[in-house]
Amino acid sequence: MHPANLFSFCRLGLTFALLAMLSHGVQAGHVVAIDFSGGSLGPEWAPPPHSTHTNGVVRIAERGGRSHVLSMNLKGNSVGISTVNFSTLQVNVNGFEQVKLSFDHHADHDPVTPFSSGGFQGFPEATGVAVSSNGIDWVPLWSPDLGHEHGWVSIDNLDVSALIAANPQSLSSTGLLNIRFQHFMKVASGQLRSDGRGWDQISVSMTPIPEPSTGLLVALGVASAIGLRIRRR
């Protein structure tokens, strides 16, 4: 190939590679963010029921010293009756990778009952976050520290993709992903109802999976650059 033509080809390849990388960079960092400022659960949340008992409560309200800031509150509303209260966020992860979950979590003098290890169905007596692809088979992602019985804490970048990869029989990296926020209210007979737990500033961050065409353009650019370097030697 004539040197001038080779140079033009390499320059074109590098341009393709740069455009591909810039295009991918614009897509990177997709985030589903929820702060409950609208005062109700949005369409991204699964519809009721939200409790294993008719008096379970899922309420959007101020909580825990955050004046005029709304959060999602899960609690029981019956004296002497234990119940599991929950709300499920549904996120489409099709075409994405590196899915991570962050949120703020509040306790109000409630003891912690963590999830047991391993998958489950139904509603175990536990507090925390679990993940499901079909809404039936669940895998625990997180439970509060046993010492966290009061106040707000921030939980950052729980690796949902790693949980999916570790549980291929139960979870899928494509389609709709169910993320359940759950509170177990353990009440002995005669005791008062639970003060519950709060959730706020929920975010699910995801990175788009590069399209094959993007990879081909990048490869073309790199190959062109290598060809140009070899030609100049």
Side-chain angles (χ1 to χ4, degrees), residues 23-24 104 197 207 218:
S23 174
H24 180 63
D104 290 348
R197 289 182 175 262
T207 301
V218 172

Side-chain angles (χ1 to χ4, degrees), residues 168-196:
Q169 281 101 11
S170 302
L171 301 176
S172 172
S173 60
T174 61
L176 198 64
L177 193 68
N178 299 279
I179 304 174
R180 180 199 288 176
F181 299 83
Q182 178 171 305
H183 167 245
F184 170 50
M185 184 193 75
K186 185 176 183 179
V187 180
S189 178
Q191 289 183 330
L192 297 177
R193 61 182 180 271
S194 167
D195 289 320

Side-chain angles (χ1 to χ4, degrees), residues 114-126:
F115 280 112
S116 300
S117 60
F120 65 87
Q121 294 183 348
F123 304 94
E125 296 180 341

Side-chain angles (χ1 to χ4, degrees), residues 120-182:
F120 65 87
Q121 294 183 348
F123 304 94
E125 296 180 341
T127 294
V129 178
V131 177
S132 174
S133 291
N134 59 12
I136 299 173
D137 302 293
W138 295 86
V139 179
L141 174 65
W142 173 86
S143 285
D145 292 336
L146 293 179
H148 179 218
E149 294 190 8
H150 183 68
W152 285 97
V153 295
S154 294
I155 307 300
D156 297 318
N157 296 320
L158 296 174
D159 198 335
V160 179
S161 288
L163 185 73
I164 294 173
N167 297 272
Q169 281 101 11
S170 302
L171 301 176
S172 172
S173 60
T174 61
L176 198 64
L177 193 68
N178 299 279
I179 304 174
R180 180 199 288 176
F181 299 83
Q182 178 171 305

Side-chain angles (χ1 to χ4, degrees), residues 43-155:
E44 64 272 19
W45 294 88
H50 294 305
S51 176
T52 56
H53 187 271
T54 55
N55 285 331
V57 175
V58 175
R59 178 180 295 133
I60 309 303
E62 296 177 14
R63 184 180 183 88
R66 292 186 173 186
S67 180
H68 308 298
V69 177
L70 301 180
S71 59
M72 178 176 68
N73 299 278
L74 307 182
K75 60 179 295 183
N77 203 32
S78 296
V79 175
I81 299 176
S82 298
T83 186
V84 175
N85 306 293
F86 53 90
S87 192
T88 303
L89 176 64
Q90 298 180 315
V91 180
N92 191 340
V93 298
N94 200 42
F96 293 94
E97 58 186 358
Q98 300 179 32
V99 181
K100 295 185 178 182
L101 172 68
S102 301
F103 53 84
D104 290 348
H105 175 63
H106 182 269
D108 197 355
H109 303 292
D110 276 8
V112 175
T113 305
F115 280 112
S116 300
S117 60
F120 65 87
Q121 294 183 348
F123 304 94
E125 296 180 341
T127 294
V129 178
V131 177
S132 174
S133 291
N134 59 12
I136 299 173
D137 302 293
W138 295 86
V139 179
L141 174 65
W142 173 86
S143 285
D145 292 336
L146 293 179
H148 179 218
E149 294 190 8
H150 183 68
W152 285 97
V153 295
S154 294
I155 307 300

